[in-house]
Amino acid sequence: MIDPREIQSIVKAHILDRFLPQANADELTTETPLIAGGILDSLATVRLVTFLEERFGIEVKAHEANAENLGSLAQIADLVRRKVDRA
Amino acid sequence: MNFASTPEHDALRDQIRTFARDRLNHDVVGRDRERRFSPDLWRTCGTHGLPGLPAPVEHGGRGFDPLTCVVALDALGYGCTDHGLTFALCAHLAACVVPIWQFGTEAQQRRYLPGLCDGRLIGAHAMTEAEAGSDSFNMRTVAERTAGGWRLHGAKKFVSNALHADLIVAFALTESSTRFHGGVTAFVLERSTPGLTISAPIDTMGLRTASVADIRLEDVRVEDAHVLGGVGAGAGVFARAMDWERICLFAAHVGQMERLLDRAVTHARTRQVGGVAIGKHQAVSHRIADMKVRVDAARLLTYRAASRLGVTRAVALDAAIAKLFVSEALVQTAMDTVQILGGNGYATDHEVERALRDAVGARIYSGTSEIQRNIISGWLGL
C-alpha cells in the first residue's frame, strides 16, 4: 500500500516544476484548488494525467478526469491510492 | 527503433493503392464542380473495410493496429484523387468509429459498429460552435437531465459529413461550472432523432466532394443509453478522437503529397523546353528535392505518432507535431506542384489546382496550425 503523503509529495513536486515554476512551495497545500484556481487548464490537466499514469502505472479513465478527482493534491492522492490499491 | 516496413504492410499498401486508383477516381473533376458526395463510392470503400479499419473484427472492423491503419490510409491518400471522399472517410473513422469502439457500451458497439464499418452507415462528429471555434469547451450547447434521459439544446457548426450522416457524436455541457473538467458529455445521436435538423450544405473552397453543414438541436430528447463514455467524459472522448484524427487523416495527406511529388517528377522529366527537360534546371529540381524532404519527414512524424497511439497519453504532443507539419507541408507541396506544372497546374481539368484547393483546409480542421503550436508549446511548459 502506497502512503498518500508520498503520492502528494511526488505530485506536488511535479506541479511545482511543470506548472508553477516561480511559486513558493509552501503556498501549494494539499487543499489548494488546482482546477478552480486555474492552475490546471485543459492542457495542463492532460499533462498531469499523463504523468500520473506513467509514474504510478495506473489508468485514469475519461470520466474520472474531473474536479472531484483532480481538484486538489489531496483528491489526486486519494485517486491514485485507490487505483494503486486496486491493482 | 526500426524504420523498415513489414511485408504485410507493403502488400496492404499495394492493394489499397491499386483499389483506390481503379475504383475511386471516376469523374472527380465533375463531382468537385457539382459539389457532389458519392454514396456509391462510400459503399465501395465499405466493401474493402476502409470505414472500419481499427474496429474489432467481432464488430465488423478489420482490427488493425494504429500503425497498420496509417499505412492503409497513406495508401488511400496516394491512390484516391477524390480528396473529399478520403477526408469524409477519415473523419468518420477517427471521430465516430473510434469513440464508439473505445468508449461505447457493448450495446452501442453492437448496434452501430457493424454498419459503420461496412459502409451502410456514415458517422459525423459535432463539436465546433459559432461562439467557440478553437476554444471548443466554451460551448453553449447544453444537455439537461430529464426523467430517464437528457434534453439537448444548441447548435453546431462545420460538421463534416453532416448532410449524409446516419449517426452523430455530439458534445454538450452537462455541468457548466466545470466544462473541460467533467462538465462536457458526448452523446450518440441518430439522424432521425426528433429535434435534430441539418442545414443546407456549406459551400467551401475545397473538399467539395465531401459534405459540411451545421446542425441544430432543439428540444432533442434521448435516453441515458445515448451517453457515450459516461456523464462528464466528453473531454476524454474528444481528446481521443482528435489524437486519431490528427494522425489518420494526415496520414492520408502524406499519401497525397507523395502522389503530387510523383506527378511533379514525371512532368519535370518529360516536359522539355529548348530541347532540355525542365527537371535539369535547378530552379525545378531543387523545388522537387524540397518536396521529397517534406514527404519523408511528414511520413516519419506521422508513423511515429501512430506507433504511440494507445501506448501513452503523451501521443497528443506527437499528434500535434505531425498535424502541424503535414498540413503546412501539404499546402506547400500542392503550391509547388502547380508551379512546376505551370499552365497545366493552373487549369481545372488537370486536378492539380483542385489538390491545392483541397489542401488549404488541412491547416484549419482538426485544430488550426495556431492551436497545434499552442499545444506543442504548452507541452514544453510555456
Side-chain angles (χ1 to χ4, degrees), chain B residues 28 97 179 198 322 345 367:
Chain B
V28 186
V97 172
R179 293 187 177 267
I198 297 168

Side-chain angles (χ1 to χ4, degrees), chain B residues 130-297:
Chain B
E131 306 298 325
S134 293
D135 185 12
S136 304
F137 288 87
N138 193 26
M139 66 178 65
R140 302 264 175 94
T141 298
V142 295
E144 299 163 347
R145 258 281 179 218
T146 61
W150 299 86
R151 174 182 173 274
L152 281 74
H153 189 86
K156 298 291 183 179
K157 283 196 76 68
F158 299 122
V159 179
S160 304
N161 294 347
L163 282 186
H164 302 89
D166 302 286
L167 202 64
I168 299 163
V169 174
F171 295 81
L173 275 179
T174 43
E175 175 52 64
S176 60
S177 65
T178 52
R179 293 187 177 267
F180 178 87
H181 298 95
V184 172
T185 299
F187 294 87
V188 181
L189 305 178
E190 297 180 11
R191 183 190 187 88
S192 57
T193 307
L196 190 161
T197 54
I198 297 168
S199 76
I202 298 170
D203 202 4
T204 52
M205 168 200 264
L207 300 173
R208 293 166 60 83
T209 54
S211 71
V212 184
D214 298 340
I215 289 177
R216 286 201 66 80
L217 304 168
E218 292 181 281
D219 196 22
V220 169
R221 292 171 186 269
V222 292
E223 297 176 347
D224 282 330
H226 290 260
V227 169
L228 181 62
V231 176
V237 175
F238 180 69
R240 190 73 57 85
M242 286 301 99
D243 288 346
W244 276 80
E245 187 167 287
R246 288 170 187 162
I247 296 169
C248 289
L249 171 55
F250 290 80
H253 292 339
V254 173
Q256 290 165 12
M257 286 167 60
E258 183 163 22
R259 171 161 42 80
L260 290 170
L261 169 65
D262 287 354
R263 183 86 184 265
V265 168
T266 299
H267 184 78
R269 294 178 68 180
T270 55
R271 167 75 170 153
Q272 297 209 341
V273 174
V276 179
I278 63 171
K280 293 297 181 188
H281 298 294
Q282 288 184 342
V284 173
S285 64
H286 285 190
R287 189 186 293 271
I288 291 177
D290 287 345
M291 291 169 69
K292 171 62 175 169
V293 172
R294 281 196 298 272
V295 170
D296 282 11

